[in-house]
Amino acid sequence: MAKGGRSRISYETTFRAKVLILAVIFGIVIFMIVYYPLLSHQTNPWGVAAPKGQIILAQNFSINGVNYTNAVPFTSKNNALVLKGNDDAGETLTVSVSTPGWCVDLWVWGGSSKGWVRKYDCAREFQMSQYAFKRLPTHEAREILYWYLEPGYILVFHKDGEVNKYELVNFTVTYGGETDWGAFKVSIGKS
Protein backbone atom coordinates (compact mmCIF):
# COMPACT_ATOMS: atom_id res chain seq x y z
CA MET A 1 0.00 0.00 0.00
CA ALA A 2 1.29 3.49 -0.84
CA LYS A 3 1.64 6.36 1.60
CA GLY A 4 -1.59 8.09 2.52
CA GLY A 5 -3.77 4.97 2.22
CA ARG A 6 -4.12 5.12 -1.58
CA SER A 7 -3.54 1.97 -3.57
CA ARG A 8 -1.76 2.17 -6.92
CA ILE A 9 -2.95 0.41 -10.01
CA SER A 10 -0.40 -2.05 -11.22
CA TYR A 11 1.38 -1.62 -14.54
CA GLU A 12 -0.27 -4.81 -15.89
CA THR A 13 -3.77 -3.54 -15.07
CA THR A 14 -3.06 -0.17 -16.71
CA PHE A 15 -1.71 -1.90 -19.81
CA ARG A 16 -4.77 -4.19 -20.02
CA ALA A 17 -7.13 -1.20 -19.72
CA LYS A 18 -5.31 0.66 -22.50
CA VAL A 19 -5.39 -2.40 -24.76
CA LEU A 20 -9.12 -2.87 -24.05
CA ILE A 21 -9.88 0.79 -24.84
CA LEU A 22 -7.87 0.58 -28.10
CA ALA A 23 -9.68 -2.66 -29.05
CA VAL A 24 -13.09 -1.02 -28.47
CA ILE A 25 -12.11 2.04 -30.55
CA PHE A 26 -10.72 -0.20 -33.30
CA GLY A 27 -13.97 -2.26 -33.26
CA ILE A 28 -16.10 0.88 -33.59
CA VAL A 29 -13.99 2.11 -36.52
CA ILE A 30 -14.26 -1.28 -38.28
CA PHE A 31 -18.04 -1.27 -37.72
CA MET A 32 -18.37 2.23 -39.19
CA ILE A 33 -16.22 1.40 -42.21
CA VAL A 34 -17.55 -2.07 -43.04
CA TYR A 35 -20.93 -2.77 -41.50
CA TYR A 36 -22.63 0.60 -41.28
CA PRO A 37 -22.72 1.16 -45.09
CA LEU A 38 -24.11 -2.36 -45.53
CA LEU A 39 -26.84 -1.80 -42.94
CA SER A 40 -27.80 1.70 -44.07
CA HIS A 41 -27.58 1.40 -47.87
CA GLN A 42 -30.60 2.08 -50.02
CA THR A 43 -32.24 -1.21 -50.94
CA ASN A 44 -33.43 -0.05 -54.35
CA PRO A 45 -31.25 2.75 -55.69
CA TRP A 46 -33.75 3.70 -58.40
CA GLY A 47 -33.01 6.68 -60.58
CA VAL A 48 -31.80 8.21 -63.80
CA ALA A 49 -28.06 7.58 -64.12
CA ALA A 50 -27.73 9.55 -67.38
CA PRO A 51 -28.20 12.13 -68.71
CA LYS A 52 -27.67 14.40 -65.72
CA GLY A 53 -26.91 17.65 -67.52
CA GLN A 54 -24.57 16.30 -70.22
CA ILE A 55 -24.25 18.08 -73.55
CA ILE A 56 -25.76 15.98 -76.36
CA LEU A 57 -25.39 16.82 -80.04
CA ALA A 58 -28.67 17.46 -81.88
CA GLN A 59 -29.05 15.71 -85.21
CA ASN A 60 -30.98 15.99 -88.46
CA PHE A 61 -32.34 12.60 -89.54
CA SER A 62 -35.46 10.77 -90.64
CA ILE A 63 -37.24 7.64 -89.44
CA ASN A 64 -39.82 5.94 -91.64
CA GLY A 65 -40.51 9.14 -93.60
CA VAL A 66 -40.62 11.49 -90.59
CA ASN A 67 -37.93 14.19 -90.79
CA TYR A 68 -36.34 15.65 -87.65
CA THR A 69 -34.31 18.86 -87.43
CA ASN A 70 -32.12 19.52 -84.38
CA ALA A 71 -33.64 16.55 -82.53
CA VAL A 72 -31.94 14.42 -79.87
CA PRO A 73 -32.36 10.65 -80.26
CA PHE A 74 -31.90 8.25 -77.34
CA THR A 75 -30.97 4.85 -78.76
CA SER A 76 -29.27 1.63 -77.74
CA LYS A 77 -26.23 2.75 -79.74
CA ASN A 78 -25.59 6.08 -77.99
CA ASN A 79 -26.80 5.00 -74.50
CA ALA A 80 -27.93 8.57 -73.83
CA LEU A 81 -30.62 7.28 -71.43
CA VAL A 82 -29.36 5.05 -68.60
CA LEU A 83 -31.49 4.15 -65.60
CA LYS A 84 -30.48 2.28 -62.45
CA GLY A 85 -32.33 0.05 -60.03
CA ASN A 86 -32.60 -3.55 -58.92
CA ASP A 87 -36.25 -4.21 -58.10
CA ASP A 88 -39.10 -5.25 -60.34
CA ALA A 89 -41.65 -2.60 -59.35
CA GLY A 90 -44.25 -3.06 -62.07
CA GLU A 91 -44.72 -3.42 -65.79
CA THR A 92 -44.41 0.20 -66.91
CA LEU A 93 -42.46 3.35 -66.22
CA THR A 94 -43.52 6.90 -67.05
CA VAL A 95 -41.39 9.52 -68.81
CA SER A 96 -42.47 13.16 -68.47
CA VAL A 97 -40.89 16.14 -70.26
CA SER A 98 -41.04 19.33 -68.19
CA THR A 99 -39.28 21.83 -70.49
CA PRO A 100 -41.85 23.93 -72.39
CA GLY A 101 -41.99 23.36 -76.15
CA TRP A 102 -40.20 19.99 -76.02
CA CYS A 103 -41.82 16.59 -76.54
CA VAL A 104 -40.85 13.00 -77.35
CA ASP A 105 -41.66 10.57 -80.14
CA LEU A 106 -41.34 6.91 -79.15
CA TRP A 107 -40.45 4.62 -82.03
CA VAL A 108 -40.74 0.85 -81.67
CA TRP A 109 -39.42 -1.74 -84.12
CA GLY A 110 -42.44 -3.59 -85.50
CA GLY A 111 -40.48 -6.30 -87.28
CA SER A 112 -39.36 -6.59 -90.88
CA SER A 113 -42.94 -6.34 -92.18
CA LYS A 114 -43.85 -3.11 -90.36
CA GLY A 115 -40.47 -1.46 -89.79
CA TRP A 116 -40.32 1.41 -87.31
CA VAL A 117 -43.72 2.32 -85.81
CA ARG A 118 -44.29 5.61 -83.98
CA LYS A 119 -46.07 4.66 -80.75
CA TYR A 120 -46.19 8.22 -79.34
CA ASP A 121 -46.22 11.40 -81.44
CA CYS A 122 -44.93 14.52 -79.63
CA ALA A 123 -45.91 13.26 -76.18
CA ARG A 124 -45.03 15.25 -73.07
CA GLU A 125 -45.78 12.21 -70.91
CA PHE A 126 -45.86 8.57 -71.93
CA GLN A 127 -45.40 5.07 -70.59
CA MET A 128 -42.83 2.48 -71.58
CA SER A 129 -42.51 -1.15 -70.67
CA GLN A 130 -39.72 -2.04 -68.27
CA TYR A 131 -38.81 -4.68 -70.85
CA ALA A 132 -37.72 -1.92 -73.25
CA PHE A 133 -34.52 -1.93 -71.19
CA LYS A 134 -31.81 -4.53 -70.77
CA ARG A 135 -30.43 -4.69 -67.25
CA LEU A 136 -26.74 -5.15 -66.68
CA PRO A 137 -25.04 -5.35 -63.26
CA THR A 138 -22.41 -2.82 -62.29
CA HIS A 139 -18.86 -4.04 -61.79
CA GLU A 140 -18.64 -2.90 -58.16
CA ALA A 141 -21.85 -4.34 -56.77
CA ARG A 142 -23.87 -6.95 -58.59
CA GLU A 143 -27.01 -5.87 -56.71
CA ILE A 144 -27.28 -2.57 -58.63
CA LEU A 145 -28.38 -2.86 -62.23
CA TYR A 146 -27.98 -0.30 -64.98
CA TRP A 147 -30.82 -0.18 -67.50
CA TYR A 148 -29.98 0.49 -71.17
CA LEU A 149 -32.49 0.86 -74.02
CA GLU A 150 -33.00 -2.26 -76.10
CA PRO A 151 -32.23 -1.97 -79.85
CA GLY A 152 -35.94 -1.97 -80.78
CA TYR A 153 -36.67 1.42 -79.15
CA ILE A 154 -35.82 5.02 -80.05
CA LEU A 155 -36.85 8.08 -78.06
CA VAL A 156 -36.62 11.29 -80.10
CA PHE A 157 -36.65 14.53 -78.09
CA HIS A 158 -37.62 17.40 -80.38
CA LYS A 159 -39.05 20.90 -80.38
CA ASP A 160 -41.49 22.46 -82.85
CA GLY A 161 -39.84 25.89 -82.62
CA GLU A 162 -36.25 27.00 -82.94
CA VAL A 163 -33.76 25.13 -80.78
CA ASN A 164 -31.34 27.34 -78.87
CA LYS A 165 -27.72 26.30 -78.49
CA TYR A 166 -27.14 24.68 -75.08
CA GLU A 167 -30.85 24.76 -74.32
CA LEU A 168 -31.56 22.69 -71.20
CA VAL A 169 -34.18 19.95 -71.56
CA ASN A 170 -35.54 18.49 -68.31
CA PHE A 171 -37.53 15.29 -67.85
CA THR A 172 -38.48 12.83 -65.12
CA VAL A 173 -38.80 9.06 -65.03
CA THR A 174 -41.20 7.42 -62.57
CA TYR A 175 -41.11 3.72 -61.76
CA GLY A 176 -42.68 1.90 -58.83
CA GLY A 177 -43.63 5.13 -57.10
CA GLU A 178 -40.08 6.54 -57.26
CA THR A 179 -39.33 9.57 -59.47
CA ASP A 180 -35.93 10.89 -60.56
CA TRP A 181 -34.91 13.68 -62.90
CA GLY A 182 -32.81 13.72 -66.03
CA ALA A 183 -31.56 16.63 -68.12
CA PHE A 184 -29.37 17.37 -71.10
CA LYS A 185 -28.11 20.43 -72.93
CA VAL A 186 -28.63 20.54 -76.67
CA SER A 187 -25.55 21.20 -78.75
CA ILE A 188 -26.23 22.31 -82.31
CA GLY A 189 -23.66 21.45 -84.97
CA LYS A 190 -22.49 23.90 -87.61
CA SER A 191 -24.81 24.11 -90.61
Side-chain angles (χ1 to χ4, degrees):
M1 212 176 196
K3 290 183 182 179
R6 290 180 36 198
S7 63
R8 292 188 91 185
I9 300 174
S10 69
Y11 173 77
E12 291 84 11
T13 306
T14 306
F15 179 74
R16 288 179 184 150
K18 288 179 183 177
V19 168
L20 182 62
I21 290 170
L22 285 174
V24 169
I25 291 172
F26 185 71
I28 291 171
V29 168
I30 291 295
F31 175 79
M32 294 302 286
I33 292 172
V34 176
Y35 294 110
Y36 182 75
L38 293 174
L39 297 175
S40 65
H41 83 287
Q42 190 177 0
T43 56
N44 183 18
W46 164 256
V48 177
K52 286 287 191 181
Q54 291 93 333
I55 298 172
I56 301 178
L57 182 64
Q59 300 174 20
N60 299 329
F61 58 94
S62 63
I63 301 175
N64 205 20
V66 178
N67 296 318
Y68 292 101
T69 303
N70 291 330
V72 178
F74 287 5
T75 68
S76 63
K77 292 180 183 174
N78 66 12
N79 286 328
L81 177 63
V82 180
L83 307 177
K84 63 181 176 183
N86 61 356
D87 286 348
D88 183 354
E91 173 68 27
T92 59
L93 52 90
T94 303
V95 179
S96 301
V97 180
S98 54
T99 302
W102 284 84
C103 59
V104 181
D105 290 356
L106 173 62
W107 291 87
V108 178
W109 180 248
S112 58
S113 62
K114 293 183 181 177
W116 287 103
V117 177
R118 186 164 43 178
K119 188 170 179 184
Y120 290 100
D121 182 7
C122 201
R124 293 197 39 87
E125 181 174 295
F126 62 93
Q127 292 187 334
M128 291 181 67
S129 171
Q130 66 165 326
Y131 302 110
F133 297 87
K134 60 184 167 195
R135 299 176 187 187
L136 300 174
T138 63
H139 296 292
E140 302 85 35
R142 298 239 178 248
E143 69 201 30
I144 299 172
L145 303 174
Y146 280 148
W147 299 23
Y148 300 94
L149 271 176
E150 289 281 1
Y153 297 86
I154 300 174
L155 279 75
V156 180
F157 285 79
H158 61 95
K159 184 177 181 183
D160 283 336
E162 183 180 339
V163 177
N164 299 315
K165 190 168 190 171
Y166 300 120
E167 184 171 353
L168 183 65
V169 179
N170 293 295
F171 64 94
T172 60
V173 179
T174 304
Y175 180 67
E178 298 289 328
T179 300
D180 196 20
W181 66 275
F184 59 91
K185 290 181 180 177
V186 182
S187 174
I188 301 172
K190 294 180 181 179
S191 301

